[in-house]
Amino acid sequence: KTEEKTVKCTEVFYFLKDQDISILSSSYQFAKEIAVACSAALCPHLRTLKSNRMNKIGLRVSIDTDMVEFQAGCEGQLLPQHYLNDLDSALIPVIHGGTSNSSLPLEIELAFFILENLSE
């Protein structure tokens, strides 16, 4: 949250591939850590993102035994590289730290909205 804008994670989707649904409980904390890291990385850019009409941002994180990647975008387009660089710095430590606690493969998608703060 900044003085003018708030970024809020509103949805989390789990893409299950032949896995027991019980992995969702262990993945909840990991998804929360991803959401916090993404929000922190985007916070310095909220005004610019909002002014460029990037109000809804999707983040997909894919992890397997030999692969870790994420994609972030808005309306079918990847975010510009300077946003991705900040996301990379924030997300990679969280992703690598969380892989030891989660069942693999894991693929999740988070939806973020940038909202205007209402003045009182």
Side-chain angles (χ1 to χ4, degrees):
K1 186 172 186 177
T2 65
E3 289 182 17
E4 301 171 356
K5 312 271 186 268
T6 300
V7 62
K8 183 174 186 175
C9 182
T10 58
E11 297 174 294
V12 177
F13 300 95
Y14 296 90
F15 299 92
L16 301 175
K17 298 175 184 169
D18 303 325
Q19 292 144 315
D20 185 348
I21 198 156
S22 66
I23 71 150
L24 293 181
S25 62
S26 65
S27 300
Y28 171 79
Q29 183 62 34
F30 182 60
K32 185 177 176 180
E33 291 170 9
I34 293 289
V36 169
C38 181
S39 297
L42 293 178
C43 245
H45 306 290
L46 294 182
R47 180 184 292 183
T48 308
L49 288 164
K50 182 91 169 146
S51 68
N52 288 327
R53 298 182 181 198
M54 292 187 237
N55 300 335
K56 183 177 182 182
I57 296 170
L59 172 69
R60 181 173 288 195
V61 178
S62 303
I63 303 169
D64 209 334
T65 52
D66 59 347
M67 181 263 314
V68 173
E69 69 177 11
F70 75 87
Q71 293 180 317
C74 178
E75 298 195 16
Q77 301 293 318
L78 288 177
L79 291 180
Q81 190 60 48
H82 62 283
Y83 301 123
L84 295 177
N85 292 342
D86 286 354
L87 284 170
D88 193 54
S89 297
L91 291 174
I92 293 302
V94 173
I95 291 170
H96 284 293
T99 54
S100 60
N101 300 328
S102 61
S103 300
L104 299 178
L106 176 65
E107 189 167 6
I108 60 175
E109 187 167 306
L110 297 90
F112 295 86
F113 279 94
I114 299 173
L115 309 166
E116 297 283 340
N117 292 338
L118 299 176
S119 58
E120 297 181 24

